[in-house]
Amino acid sequence: IHIVGVIDGNTQEIKIYRNGQVANRKVYTEGIAQTSQNLNIGGNASYLLNGEIDEARVYMKALTSFEVNRLYVEGLLKHLALP
C-alpha cells in the first residue's frame, strides 16, 4: 500500500492519498503548529507500528495529485520489475 499525506498551506487542505488516488481530504482552519520536537514516522512514545515503512520522504512543498500518482506508478514499476 502506498500512502501519502499532503498539507497545502495555500488551500488550507489536507489530503490523504492511497495508491495514487485521493482517499480523504479535509480543510483545516487551525493552522499548522511549529515545534522543535522530532518528527516520528510509524510511532510515538506510546505507540509503535507493528510492520515496516519503506521509502519515507518529506518534501518542502505540497505535492500535486499528478506528482503523488507519478510516485505511486514509479514505485510499482520498481517493485514489479523482473530481475
Side-chain angles (χ1 to χ4, degrees), residues 10-68:
N10 294 323
T11 63
Q12 293 187 303
E13 187 172 42
I14 299 171
K15 292 181 186 175
I16 303 298
Y17 292 82
R18 183 172 193 254
N19 296 338
Q21 302 298 314
V22 176
N24 201 348
R25 63 176 55 186
K26 178 182 178 186
V27 173
Y28 65 92
T29 57
E30 302 85 33
I32 303 298
Q34 294 186 11
T35 179
S36 61
Q37 297 291 321
N38 293 332
L39 171 65
N40 294 306
I41 298 174
N44 59 32
S46 60
Y47 170 81
L48 291 176
L49 174 72
N50 184 14
E52 296 181 11
I53 296 175
D54 183 29
E55 298 183 31
R57 300 177 189 182
V58 177
Y59 294 89
M60 294 298 294
K61 70 177 203 110
L63 299 178
T64 65
S65 293
F66 177 81
E67 291 169 321
V68 171

